[in-house]
Amino acid sequence: VKGCIADAVSQLVVERGQHPEGFDTRRNLVFGAYGGWYCGLVQHGIYNHLYTRLLGSSTSIVNALRKVALDSVVHVPFVVFPVYYAYKHTFYDGDGASAGLR
């Protein structure tokens, strides 16, 4: 639901009718699904299980900074972005995952 809402705000407020057909329902559903499976399911496993296994469950500022650094240097550039672009090119653009990784 959050992914659908975020895309709807993007289409209706940020892009303000730049799509010739109006509101792009297909795009909204594709990014809503991405928000559910990756941002919901996969990132839950990464942030709540993997990071805890790798860096411990301490809530100290030092451990929080270690988790932010791991996220910023490894997870986002080498996992989040490739997965997002492969997903976008497969399910929205229709030209396959490898197109999103070029």
Side-chain angles (χ1 to χ4, degrees):
V1 174
K2 186 172 78 171
C4 288
I5 293 169
D7 182 66
V9 169
S10 178
Q11 288 191 52
L12 299 172
V13 177
V14 177
E15 298 169 7
R16 289 211 173 116
Q18 291 178 9
H19 298 284
E21 310 85 35
F23 186 80
D24 189 342
T25 304
R26 181 174 170 272
R27 174 182 133 170
N28 186 264
L29 294 174
V30 165
F31 290 110
Y34 173 81
W37 81 265
Y38 189 79
C39 296
L41 181 67
V42 174
Q43 287 186 346
H44 167 75
I46 291 169
Y47 292 131
N48 296 317
H49 299 288
L50 180 63
Y51 280 19
T52 300
R53 202 173 272 152
L54 293 174
L55 301 171
S57 60
S58 169
T59 57
S60 71
I61 191 71
V62 172
N63 203 38
L65 291 172
R66 288 173 34 189
K67 289 178 180 181
V68 168
L70 178 62
D71 198 51
S72 299
V73 175
V74 178
H75 177 233
V76 171
F78 296 108
V79 180
V80 173
F81 286 152
V83 167
Y84 169 78
Y85 285 111
Y87 181 90
K88 177 185 177 291
H89 280 272
T90 300
F91 296 106
Y92 184 68
D93 297 332
D95 52 3
S98 61
L101 301 175
R102 289 187 205 135

